[in-house]
Amino acid sequence: GTIVGSAAFNLLMIIAVCIVAIPNGEIRMIKEMPVYVCTAVWSVFAYFWLLIILVVISPNVVEVWEGLLTFLFFPVLVFMSYAMDKGWIIKKKAAANKVRIHEDMTAEDLAVAEKQVREEHGEDLTADQVARILAVMNPMKKTRAQYRAESNKAWTGGKVKKKDQVEPVTRMSFSLRSLSFLDHSM
C-alpha cells in the first residue's frame, strides 16, 4: 500500500504543481506528444498490472516471475519512449504545415500565420492570444554567446539583467498588435 500510495501521490502532485506553476494568461504546449502519450499509457498500465498481480493472479503475494516481469517492463517503456521520440513507431508530422515566424515577414505573411492559428485553435482568439500561440510555436533560439554569457554570470554570482530575459512573447505580441489588419474581427 505504501508504494502504490506514494506513486499515486507523486503522479498527481507533479501534475498539479505543473498546472499551478503556469502563470495566468500563459500557454504551455506539449512538444513531444507521442512520448507523452506513451508514458501516460504505461503509467496507467502500471496501476492495472499491479491490480492484476495483487488481486487476480496471486492475491496479496508477489511471486518471483511477477516481480521479474514487472522489472522488465521498465526497459520496454524506455525503448518505446525512445522509439516514439525517433519516430520509429509513430511518424512525426511534417513541419511543412507549421507556421514559421521570422523578422522579414510581411503583413500578408503574418495574416496567413494568424489565419492558420485561428483555424487550428479557434476563431474567437484575441490578437494577444494569437501572438502567444505563435510565440510558443516559434521559440526564439538562443545563440551560443547568450548561453555563455548567462553561464558566466551564474558562475560568478552576477545577476542576469531583465533586458537579457526578454520573452519572445512580448516582442511577438507587440509586433502583431501593431499591425492594422488585426484591428478588425475575422
Side-chain angles (χ1 to χ4, degrees):
T2 303
I3 294 173
V4 175
S6 174
F9 176 81
N10 287 340
L11 177 70
L12 297 174
M13 285 305 295
I14 288 170
I15 292 171
V17 168
C18 289
I19 291 171
V20 171
I22 300 173
N24 288 340
E26 289 193 19
I27 300 170
R28 298 291 191 274
M29 296 175 66
I30 299 172
K31 286 185 178 179
E32 299 294 332
M33 187 59 78
V35 177
Y36 171 77
V37 170
C38 178
T39 307
V41 168
W42 272 93
S43 66
V44 172
F45 169 75
Y47 287 106
F48 283 118
W49 173 248
L50 192 62
L51 182 70
I52 290 169
I53 64 173
L54 291 178
V55 174
V56 178
I57 297 175
S58 56
N60 299 325
V61 176
V62 177
E63 296 178 3
V64 175
W65 71 270
E66 294 169 337
L68 288 174
L69 186 58
T70 303
F71 182 75
L72 291 175
F73 283 148
F74 182 70
V76 174
L77 162 65
V78 171
F79 175 77
M80 282 187 68
S81 294
Y82 180 76
M84 292 281 199
D85 186 44
K86 290 294 185 182
W88 297 342
I89 297 176
I90 296 176
K91 299 292 181 196
K92 293 183 179 183
K93 292 181 181 178
N97 294 343
K98 188 173 180 183
V99 179
R100 292 284 178 205
I101 303 297
H102 52 85
E103 293 176 1
D104 301 330
M105 291 183 78
T106 64
E108 292 81 23
D109 294 335
L110 282 171
V112 169
E114 180 190 11
K115 181 180 177 192
Q116 287 179 347
V117 167
R118 288 185 185 282
E119 286 174 357
E120 186 175 338
H121 297 281
E123 295 291 329
D124 58 339
L125 296 174
T126 65
D128 190 47
Q129 290 172 324
V130 170
R132 289 178 182 274
I133 291 170
L134 286 172
V136 168
M137 292 172 60
N138 299 282
M140 302 281 289
K141 301 289 186 200
K142 289 185 179 180
T143 65
R144 290 179 62 200
Q146 287 172 311
Y147 283 115
R148 184 174 291 138
E150 289 176 9
S151 175
N152 287 339
K153 287 177 184 177
W155 277 99
T156 59
K159 293 185 179 180
V160 179
K161 297 177 185 173
K162 289 289 183 186
K163 70 175 187 175
D164 294 341
Q165 297 175 341
V166 173
E167 292 289 325
V169 172
T170 305
R171 285 184 268 172
M172 185 70 64
S173 59
F174 173 77
S175 64
L176 279 175
R177 272 191 242 130
S178 64
L179 298 174
S180 60
F181 70 88
L182 289 177
D183 292 338
H184 67 294
S185 60
M186 293 192 149

